[in-house]
Amino acid sequence: MAKSIPRCMSAKIIGKGHDLAERRRTHMIDLYDTGRWKRYYSEEEFVALMRETVRLADSWSRMAEPLQAAE
């Protein structure tokens, strides 16, 4: 996944990126809740991946806020 999010994007792309980031966050939470993460990751890997997932989802949310307020 990209390390940074470009600043100049259309509202459609921002909306799709935000939706994808939220789906990924939901998936990671599901992996944690069910314990399935242990099949795929070490604890350190999973924690790092979860932090990155949350950081990116929060970034997309901040970018989508002005668009949601305009609706």
Side-chain angles (χ1 to χ4, degrees), residues 13-47:
I13 292 173
I14 291 173
K16 286 183 176 186
H18 179 247
D19 291 343
L20 180 61
E22 289 301 324
R23 284 197 319 258
R24 185 172 187 219
R25 184 191 327 224
T26 301
H27 174 70
M28 296 297 291
I29 291 169
D30 183 53
L31 280 178
Y32 177 78
D33 288 343
T34 62
R36 287 189 339 255
W37 65 271
K38 295 174 187 175
R39 295 181 183 178
Y40 309 107
Y41 307 102
S42 68
E43 185 173 355
E44 296 81 22
E45 290 172 326
F46 187 74
V47 168

Side-chain angles (χ1 to χ4, degrees), residues 4-6 10 14 23 39 41-42 50 53 59-60 63 66 70:
S4 63
I5 301 169
S10 70
I14 291 173
R23 284 197 319 258
R39 295 181 183 178
Y41 307 102
S42 68
M50 183 61 106
T53 299
S59 294
W60 281 107
M63 289 177 57

Side-chain angles (χ1 to χ4, degrees), residues 46-70:
F46 187 74
V47 168
L49 187 59
M50 183 61 106
R51 285 184 179 150
E52 181 67 7
T53 299
V54 169
R55 186 187 70 77
L56 287 172
D58 289 344
S59 294
W60 281 107
S61 292
R62 281 192 303 278
M63 289 177 57
E65 282 176 2
L67 300 175
Q68 293 169 348

